[in-house]
Amino acid sequence: MTRRFMFALLFLSPATLCMFPCPALAQSSAPAQSNATWNFAVSGDSRNCGDVVMPGIAAGVKQSGAAFYWHLGDFRAIYNFDEDMQHEPQYIAKPLTVSQYLSVAWDDFIEKQIAPFGGTPVFLGIGNHDTVPPKTREQYLVQFADWLNQPVLQQQRLSDDPHARKITAYFHWNQAGVDFISLDNATTDQFDTQQMTWFEKTLQLDLANPQVHTIVVAMHEALPDSISENHAMDQSPTGIESGRRVYADLLKARNDAHKRVYVLASHSHYFMDGIFNTQYWREHGGVLPGWIIGTAGAVRYALPPEKTDAKVAATNVYGFLLGTVQPTGEINFAFHQLNESDVPPAVVETYKSEFVHWCFAENSASH
């Protein structure tokens, strides 16, 4: 495939793209108006054991009746072989080479982790491992164009700006009175000027729209000054400055425009509710509701010392966050833990019970 042809794909419609092999794109089952209770699901970080964990998450998401699933990035490790891929029968018989792994890693994610969702729509955020060399953001846009340019996102983008034909790794869509905003902080140069301009324009449209009652912002790395600050946007000057600006914008949306605001992230491989209950944010405008949900298969991390300031914190767990949207626009979030017994039998048959158990018992850096 030539470079010119690859980049031409970015400007094709989803219908045109699906002349090539690609999964069916489903429409969300959420109500068109905010007059009923409905659910959506979120998690992130599915490298290492995602091929074992994500099919179980998909089954749980479908059972919950969620309107969609939102993945917050880090699909494959890229810097090293994912353990689950190494335990696929064909790669046990003939181990992966580096070049082979790099050529099939993202295809493996699509086949083993996204396909199990079937007709449930999936939205994809970008993580730092999705830009680990030799992978780039540009390659990511080509590989996942079907999801980044699915009809609801294309229609929203062109409704905001009829000239916005180019897809990006950040996007949003309005659904039943809720604006879902997916940001890109996969690299230390983000949020850059272009993304900040887009975000603040999007936010202003929300503030001026009486039909939008709620704003849910999600990204891979948590905004600065959270309990997870040792593994978040705090690691770069641009991240700190732009992340604090996003947080301040969201505070203004809540305090001045009286919108309900919720902030989600992954990157840290644990579950935490109440991540912005820190001295910094208590002294600089207030605490926004925030969650870490990096529990989709990646090696589990130790909780930070400040975990006691969170409402809930847990590591060495897998699962997803289920958001239940009320007719008022309020969202109640609950963590749905995935147990070893929830892994589908077909997955156990492929990867064998010993490795499945390893994923649940040993895939941890927090012992």
Side-chain angles (χ1 to χ4, degrees):
M1 183 181 292
T2 67
R3 180 179 296 271
R4 178 175 297 178
F5 179 70
M6 289 171 64
F7 280 89
L9 291 179
L10 297 181
F11 300 92
L12 296 177
S13 70
T16 305
L17 282 167
C18 282
M19 292 189 300
F20 306 95
C22 67
L25 298 173
Q27 294 296 323
S28 171
S29 59
Q33 301 298 323
S34 54
N35 56 1
T37 298
W38 58 282
N39 301 325
F40 65 93
V42 186
S43 62
D45 295 272
S46 58
R47 58 186 177 93
N48 305 115
C49 279
D51 289 0
V52 169
V53 173
M54 282 288 287
I57 287 178
V61 168
K62 289 189 287 188
Q63 186 176 18
S64 75
F68 61 82
Y69 170 73
W70 198 353
H71 193 303
L72 302 187
D74 277 10
F75 307 150
R76 301 279 67 188
I78 303 303
Y79 77 100
N80 199 358
F81 299 111
D82 295 275
E83 291 86 343
D84 50 14
M85 291 183 66
Q86 289 180 303
H87 282 80
E88 292 177 15
Q90 68 270 35
Y91 301 133
I92 291 176
K94 186 177 181 181
L96 283 159
T97 65
V98 172
S99 60
Q100 185 182 16
Y101 167 76
L102 291 172
S103 70
V104 302
W106 280 349
D107 291 332
D108 174 88
F109 165 74
I110 292 170
E111 178 186 352
K112 305 292 175 48
Q113 301 186 31
I114 299 303
F117 285 90
T120 300
V122 173
F123 296 91
L124 299 179
I126 185 172
N128 60 300
H129 280 266
D130 305 317
T131 60
V132 166
K135 299 297 187 182
T136 65
R137 184 177 278 104
E138 289 73 23
Q139 291 175 358
Y140 175 93
L141 294 176
V142 171
Q143 177 82 43
F144 300 107
D146 292 331
W147 289 267
L148 297 171
N149 202 35
Q150 58 185 291
V152 66
L153 299 184
Q154 183 186 73
Q155 292 162 13
Q156 184 69 62
R157 188 177 70 247
L158 294 177
S159 174
D160 294 342
D161 179 359
H163 303 290
R165 294 286 175 179
K166 182 180 179 181
I167 63 173
T168 60
Y170 51 88
F171 53 84
H172 85 113
W173 75 102
N174 291 327
Q175 188 161 328
V178 182
D179 192 22
F180 294 95
I181 304 176
S182 191
L183 297 179
D184 169 7
N185 58 9
T187 51
T188 57
D189 61 336
Q190 300 297 327
F191 308 118
D192 64 8
T193 301
Q194 180 177 341
Q195 186 173 184
M196 283 300 307
T197 299
W198 172 87
F199 170 73
E200 292 181 338
K201 177 183 176 182
T202 299
L203 203 58
Q204 287 304 312
L205 291 173
D206 288 340
L207 302 191
N209 187 349
Q211 300 302 314
V212 174
H213 307 292
T214 306
I215 300 166
V216 179
V217 180
M219 64 214 75
H220 186 65
E221 297 188 5
L223 295 174
D225 308 293
S226 73
I227 295 174
S228 186
E229 65 182 353
N230 67 329
H231 196 65
M233 291 185 75
D234 307 76
Q235 272 58 68
S236 75
T238 298
I240 293 173
E241 180 183 1
S242 64
R244 286 177 176 174
R245 181 170 159 186
V246 164
Y247 192 100
D249 288 340
L250 294 174
L251 277 175
K252 187 176 179 66
R254 183 188 69 174
N255 298 339
D256 295 355
H258 308 294
K259 305 289 185 179
R260 299 181 186 273
V261 175
Y262 304 91
V263 186
L264 311 174
S266 57
H267 193 48
S268 294
H269 304 163
Y270 46 72
F271 169 68
M272 186 175 290
D273 176 359
I275 65 173
F276 296 116
N277 184 28
T278 61
Q279 182 177 350
Y280 182 88
W281 287 120
R282 289 193 297 267
E283 295 176 353
H284 290 80
V287 174
L288 289 172
W291 289 260
I292 295 285
I293 186 69
T295 56
V299 55
R300 281 80 58 88
Y301 291 166
L303 294 168
E306 299 82 7
K307 63 182 181 295
T308 54
D309 293 329
K311 293 181 180 179
V312 182
T315 190
N316 293 325
V317 293
Y318 299 124
F320 62 93
L321 191 65
L322 189 71
T324 301
V325 185
Q326 305 295 330
T328 60
E330 179 182 3
I331 303 178
N332 304 122
F333 288 95
F335 179 62
H336 285 239
Q337 184 171 338
L338 182 79
N339 298 312
E340 187 173 344
S341 59
D342 298 321
V343 177
V347 175
V348 178
E349 183 178 354
T350 297
Y351 294 92
K352 307 308 177 188
S353 58
E354 293 82 3
F355 178 68
V356 171
H357 182 69
W358 183 92
C359 286
F360 281 81
E362 303 295 333
N363 186 32
S364 173
S366 65
H367 291 312

